[in-house]
Amino acid sequence: MATERQKSIARNLTLLIPRVPYLDAEAIRTAAGSRHMKSLSPASAVWLATLAHIRHQHTDYDELRDEGYEKDEARFFVVEAINEVLDRWGATRHLVSEADEDEGWDDKDGEPGEDASEDASPPLPPKARPRPDAD
């Protein structure tokens, strides 16, 4: 019988990444329910467990670390790969690097800077995104 926290983690996992493959979902659910995540809300635990799982299982993060990159440098280089996996899984949010947050905005007045793209379209809502397994 599942505890209330386990049920909440499962609900949050389904809400965050509805198309996650079963084996990945099991690993994320286990990590989110681990002892060191108990102080976090179920939603936060699922998000952090998801990012860690994708980083280590679906990107070159570990290889970058083996090549001598520092943790923050390696994480910077895999942000795009993490977001690609999140997109395939129908995620409702993305990982944003600090560089992405500052890009295109002038810090002084909060107005778009010279690098801001006026043609940028907003991301599609999760239900409007194409399914990776659909032909």
Side-chain angles (χ1 to χ4, degrees):
M1 180 180 271
T3 66
E4 284 304 312
R5 180 163 176 86
Q6 290 169 332
K7 290 177 187 176
S8 183
I9 286 171
R11 280 191 303 273
N12 279 283
L13 181 62
T14 301
L15 290 172
L16 176 66
I17 45 176
R19 295 191 307 258
V20 61
Y22 179 78
L23 292 176
D24 293 301
E26 287 300 307
I28 292 167
R29 194 176 357 264
T30 299
S34 68
R35 182 172 297 187
H36 71 280
M37 297 277 207
K38 293 276 187 200
S39 63
L40 300 173
S41 70
S44 294
V46 167
W47 176 243
L48 293 176
T50 298
L51 294 179
H53 176 76
I54 293 172
R55 181 183 314 119
H56 291 285
Q57 300 300 317
H58 297 278
T59 71
D60 295 334
Y61 175 79
D62 292 320
E63 289 82 8
L64 291 169
R65 294 285 286 142
D66 290 344
E67 290 174 11
Y69 285 92
E70 295 296 322
K71 179 172 63 172
D72 290 337
E73 294 170 329
R75 285 182 175 190
F76 174 79
F77 287 120
V78 299
V79 167
E80 188 173 320
I82 289 172
N83 285 330
E84 288 172 6
V85 173
L86 288 169
D87 280 341
R88 282 197 315 267
W89 293 354
T92 57
R93 62 189 288 196
H94 280 125
L95 177 61
V96 179
S97 70
E98 289 179 20
D100 290 342
E101 290 174 349
D102 294 337
E103 196 170 285
W105 290 91
D106 185 1
D107 289 337
K108 294 177 196 157
D109 56 12
E111 293 296 320
E114 294 175 24
D115 295 337
S117 171
E118 294 188 23
D119 296 331
S121 59
L124 291 172
K127 290 185 178 182
R129 295 180 188 164
R131 289 188 52 150
D133 58 345
D135 291 325

